[in-house]
Amino acid sequence: MNRKKRVKRWLSMMILFALLLGTVACDKQTATRREGTGRTATPTTAATATPTAEATPTGVVTPTTEVTPTTTVTPSAEPTKAPEFGPAENCAIEFPTRDLYHYDMDLTLDAKAHTIGGHIDFTFYNDTKDTWDKLCLRDYPSLFTDPVKVGYSRSTRLDGEITGISGFTDSRDGSEISWTRDTDVSVLWLSIATPLAPGEKMTLSYDFTTKIPAVDDRFGYVDGVFNVTNFYPILAEYDRNGWCTAAFYGDGECFYSEVSNYDVRITFPAGFYAATTGTEKNKAEAENTVTYTYHAPCVREFVFSASDTFAQLTRDCDDVRVNILFPKNYATRDAWDEAMELTFFCAEKSLEAFGEAFGRYPYEELDIIYTPLAAGGMEYPNLIIIADNVCQPVLTFNDTGAGPSFYMLEECVSHEIGHQWFMGIVGSNSGMQPWMDESITSYTELVYAEYLDNLGVAAIRGSFEATDLRDKTQAAKLIRNENLPINKSYYEYSNSTRYVSSIYSWGQIVFYQMELILGHKEFQSVLREYVHRFAFTNAMPEDFFTVLYEFAGTENEQLNALLDNCFDLSRLKTAS
Ligand SMILES: [Zn+2]
């Protein structure tokens, strides 16, 4: 997700604008929209829109806590091992050969009632060493009955409803399963009559109907577009701490599930079209409806965005079919064509950059949806949702003047594509360990910028090196403001502002400074090995450190100083 981070950057950039506006003239059209400044990729293909002003950033990412730099990090350690550590650049990421969970769904979208529902046959097995005498499922849509629980003010009117669920059946004996909702209404407890032994398989069948609330959210209906995500009762993750019942929060993710195969049939009103996780396999039209069949292998969840107003653009980007979908009327907006060109450019370069750095994107397709969205963007397997206002050019300044750029679009699209590796391919407990999700993904923004070697990289590096995180005095200030250590759960921060500053901004810098110490290509080889080793599993915090120490050894003084200051290493064996 990329939400308040953008707001914070915007605020810091506005301070910069205040200083610059007195001397830099800007045209009326862009002045009305100015939201920030920063880096702009320089497209290298003729077909790609070139922003009207090439920006040399005058300001880049500014973490929210002011720290007076006293030292500057410089790469000083020789790489401990040769760059050939781990698999080669651009290596393939193969789907696992082990038996995967399987969701078979027959669904119907009722566009008038704003509901999605149907029947699910979910086949799975106990993949732990513990016997399961109950099952835990998560039902996030029911939380939209309480605005505070989903990140809105208490006075906000939401039209969410408790999900209607019936007919939980255990395939092993055909018995109906009794179940209850926890105090947290998103947590369902199913009392299975016969415990599920380690390795034992069963099919859980059930029916559900979910209300889609009228909000511009990752789960919601607005302006004719249904964003239908985290929408069906899904098996919670069972890890060494048992069933994960971490609370939902609106500023990030608590989503934590097992990679599964999906076969899904959705019936829509005639004229509707959807972008989904996975790929479309069949289309069957009836008098007033259309039914699509989708197959989605090896993903953590299935989501879709649907509308009868969608326009679609499709291109091959680095051997991946990239579809951009948006309401047709957006095409009349200023600079829309340029924004779409740049979106394709950003998708292609992100897939290239991350494929080289972490292993190639293993799926056929990637969908990018533009809709009204309160957050800047949100990631799902094979599908990202980007706020439509990100497509507006923002004013940037450089030494020769000012002009519009799509800095926010590039940052947002590359960030959400980065999540395809760090969330999608390597999962983690995103609520309890957000640094494994959002901090690493924020670092991928820099991997993208470095791959392009664009004009902003030097300035970004300068900003990211201004505070030496190996320095205890510097770190102490950041610890006092909750920016460090970064391996805290969302729930441990005193407010979401501090969470965002720590996990997104400082987390990004922590990873960048690891790169400085170990070397650019060398650090990417560490991440590539981490992805290779933990692909399609849920990694634990110490898994990352295991790979890191395998490369760097445990005696690298600079790395150890950084890790000691930026992580609470005492947590590694017990946290999850
Ligand atoms: Zn994110």
Side-chain angles (χ1 to χ4, degrees):
M1 186 180 213
N2 203 339
R3 177 173 257 175
K4 290 183 179 172
K5 175 188 182 188
R6 179 155 293 99
V7 174
K8 290 190 164 302
R9 290 185 178 185
W10 181 84
L11 288 171
S12 62
M13 299 314 166
M14 287 307 291
I15 294 169
L16 185 71
F17 283 154
L19 297 172
L20 292 171
L21 278 175
T23 54
V24 180
C26 51
D27 69 84
K28 215 171 184 179
Q29 186 182 24
T30 53
T32 57
R33 298 188 190 131
R34 60 178 177 270
E35 293 181 72
T37 184
R39 64 183 188 273
T40 299
T42 307
T44 53
T45 55
T48 303
T50 304
T52 52
E54 296 297 341
T56 300
T58 51
V60 288
V61 182
T62 308
T64 54
T65 298
E66 293 302 324
V67 175
T68 307
T70 54
T71 53
T72 297
V73 180
T74 50
S76 51
E78 289 300 317
T80 308
K81 291 186 181 179
E84 60 265 24
F85 177 84
E89 289 181 348
N90 278 311
C91 64
I93 298 176
E94 306 286 352
F95 288 158
T97 54
R98 69 177 189 270
D99 196 14
L100 293 182
Y101 294 1
H102 181 245
Y103 286 85
D104 187 277
M105 302 180 171
D106 266 308
L107 306 176
T108 299
L109 176 78
D110 186 329
K112 286 189 179 154
H114 295 183
T115 61
I116 177 76
H119 182 78
I120 295 178
D121 291 316
F122 170 44
T123 302
F124 64 104
Y125 61 98
N126 180 345
D127 60 352
T128 75
K129 293 178 179 164
D130 300 333
T131 296
W132 293 349
D133 56 3
K134 61 186 174 184
L135 304 175
C136 181
L137 272 66
R138 300 303 299 265
D139 163 35
Y140 300 108
S142 289
L143 292 166
F144 282 78
T145 51
D146 181 344
V148 175
K149 290 211 168 107
V150 286
Y152 293 86
S153 66
R154 193 167 297 283
S155 59
T156 304
R157 287 183 170 274
L158 286 182
D159 62 344
E161 293 177 3
I162 295 288
T163 302
I165 306 174
S166 62
F168 277 123
T169 307
D170 184 339
S171 64
R172 292 173 297 167
D173 56 8
S175 65
E176 191 161 328
I177 299 170
S178 62
W179 62 281
T180 57
R181 279 188 193 276
D182 210 325
T183 311
D184 176 344
V185 296
S186 74
V187 177
L188 313 180
W189 293 108
L190 280 62
S191 305
I192 44 178
T194 307
L196 194 67
E200 188 178 359
K201 199 169 193 173
M202 67 175 276
T203 297
L204 179 70
S205 299
Y206 48 105
D207 298 288
F208 77 101
T209 302
T210 293
K211 181 73 184 288
I212 304 165
V215 285
D216 57 347
D217 211 324
R218 53 194 175 188
F219 175 61
Y221 166 81
V222 65
D223 289 356
V225 177
F226 292 88
N227 290 325
V228 187
T229 65
N230 314 114
F231 67 96
Y232 53 92
I234 188 170
L235 188 72
E237 179 68 3
Y238 187 99
D239 63 19
R240 63 189 175 204
N241 296 316
W243 293 106
C244 180
T245 59
F248 178 96
Y249 59 98
D251 300 323
E253 297 88 29
C254 61
F255 311 123
Y256 187 30
S257 55
E258 201 69 25
V259 159
S260 308
N261 292 326
Y262 283 80
D263 285 292
V264 183
R265 296 161 295 284
I266 311 179
T267 298
F268 298 100
F272 267 69
Y273 187 71
T276 72
T277 303
T279 54
E280 179 188 320
K281 295 296 178 190
N282 191 44
K283 175 183 179 183
E285 292 183 279
E287 191 174 349
N288 297 311
T289 62
V290 57
T291 300
Y292 289 96
T293 300
Y294 307 99
H295 177 63
C298 218
V299 291
R300 296 182 188 280
E301 65 173 308
F302 178 88
V303 306
F304 68 91
S305 289
S307 179
D308 59 358
T309 71
F310 270 158
Q312 177 173 335
L313 303 169
T314 297
R315 280 191 201 165
D316 182 279
C317 295
D318 198 34
D319 297 329
V320 176
R321 189 163 61 254
V322 173
N323 304 306
I324 305 176
L325 288 96
F326 53 88
K328 288 188 184 80
N329 61 354
Y330 286 8
T332 60
R333 293 183 176 185
D334 287 350
W336 186 257
D337 291 344
E338 291 92 323
M340 294 305 95
E341 287 293 339
L342 192 55
T343 301
F344 277 123
F345 173 81
C346 185
E348 180 165 43
K349 295 305 171 191
S350 297
L351 291 165
E352 287 176 12
F354 303 152
E356 178 182 286
F358 315 129
R360 293 180 63 76
Y361 183 76
Y363 303 97
E364 281 181 49
E365 199 166 311
L366 174 68
D367 293 336
I368 302 173
I369 317 298
Y370 282 109
T371 73
L373 189 70
M378 183 64 200
E379 72 281 6
Y380 291 99
N382 311 163
L383 184 152
I384 62 176
I385 303 174
I386 307 291
D388 65 324
N389 58 13
V390 167
C391 280
Q392 296 175 351
V394 295
L395 189 64
T396 54
F397 292 97
N398 60 34
D399 293 341
T400 57
S405 86
F406 288 97
Y407 151 72
M408 288 172 62
L409 184 154
E410 273 198 280
E411 185 204 65
C412 198
V413 171
S414 67
H415 176 100
E416 306 308 348
I417 293 177
H419 272 301
Q420 298 301 312
W421 280 261
F422 301 104
M423 175 286 290
I425 296 169
V426 181
S428 57
N429 187 337
S430 55
M432 299 302 288
Q433 301 292 344
W435 68 274
M436 300 177 70
D437 181 352
E438 292 298 352
S439 298
I440 300 183
T441 298
S442 295
Y443 166 75
T444 69
E445 294 170 24
L446 191 64
V447 173
Y448 168 82
E450 288 179 322
Y451 180 79
L452 292 177
D453 196 21
N454 69 2
L455 294 171
V457 170
I460 294 168
R461 287 195 182 115
S463 169
F464 284 15
E465 293 163 21
T467 302
D468 186 347
L469 294 175
R470 296 169 304 184
D471 181 86
K472 281 222 172 293
T473 307
Q474 294 285 301
K477 295 175 186 173
L478 294 164
I479 290 167
R480 281 199 293 278
N481 289 291
E482 297 185 50
N483 287 304
L484 297 178
I486 62 167
N487 60 329
K488 295 194 292 275
S489 75
Y490 171 85
Y491 314 98
E492 292 174 84
Y493 290 93
S494 54
N495 58 56
S496 65
T497 300
R498 292 194 164 191
Y499 156 77
V500 169
S501 176
S502 171
I503 291 297
Y504 287 86
S505 298
W506 287 103
Q508 186 181 42
I509 294 171
V510 168
F511 278 89
Y512 175 65
Q513 294 199 5
M514 284 187 215
E515 175 191 304
L516 277 183
I517 292 168
L518 297 178
H520 175 67
K521 288 289 186 186
E522 289 78 3
F523 186 54
Q524 289 191 357
S525 75
V526 171
L527 292 175
R528 200 159 53 247
E529 172 62 20
Y530 171 64
V531 170
H532 174 74
R533 201 176 296 183
F534 298 101
F536 309 113
T537 72
N538 284 309
M540 291 289 162
E542 60 271 22
D543 293 335
F544 172 78
F545 287 90
T546 297
V547 178
L548 184 64
Y549 287 132
E550 275 181 27
F551 174 80
T554 55
E555 305 300 322
N556 185 317
E557 289 182 12
Q558 295 189 57
L559 180 65
N560 289 344
L562 182 80
L563 299 180
D564 282 341
N565 288 339
C566 300
F567 292 88
D568 180 352
L569 298 174
S570 68
R571 293 174 172 222
L572 288 186
K573 293 216 171 131
T574 54
S576 67

